[in-house]
Amino acid sequence: MRKTIAVALACSLGSVLFAQTPTSPPASTSAPTPPEEKLSCRYYRQTGSIMPGKRICHTKAEWADIDAQTRRITEHNLGRDQAGNRGAPTGPAGN
């Protein structure tokens, strides 16, 4: 009895899946999509590691965002960010 129900269920699901498969792509009235942006890859090695580096790929716009964020973090850590406006340290005593 269970085998009969399982077979009937499998057949009905199979026919539903095949019935929903489109035979031709739907007609699109919207504008064509722009071509995908070309990826640019960079090779990174972690300092002090014996492991091989990684190749990381992003679009040019993504790399620009990553570079800007890295620049902001570096300037903040060096004390040259616009929020603090402290400038670079002048010496060991801070004179």
Side-chain angles (χ1 to χ4, degrees):
M1 181 70 179
R2 287 186 181 175
K3 289 182 183 179
T4 306
I5 294 173
V7 169
L9 183 61
C11 290
S12 65
L13 287 177
S15 64
V16 169
L17 291 176
F18 285 114
Q20 292 179 355
T21 305
T23 57
S24 64
S28 169
T29 58
S30 63
T33 58
E36 191 172 317
E37 287 191 49
K38 187 176 178 181
L39 292 179
S40 173
C41 300
R42 295 182 185 177
Y43 187 76
Y44 283 97
R45 287 191 63 180
Q46 185 170 352
T47 304
S49 175
I50 61 170
M51 299 300 292
K54 286 185 175 182
R55 192 175 104 168
I56 301 174
C57 301
H58 291 286
T59 63
K60 287 185 179 185
E62 290 171 337
W63 279 124
D65 290 341
I66 292 168
D67 292 340
Q69 183 179 7
T70 302
R71 194 175 310 109
R72 282 192 303 271
I73 291 170
T74 302
E75 288 176 358
H76 174 76
N77 289 339
L78 291 174
R80 296 185 211 155
D81 58 341
Q82 297 296 323
N85 202 15
R86 295 182 300 245
T90 58
N95 297 339

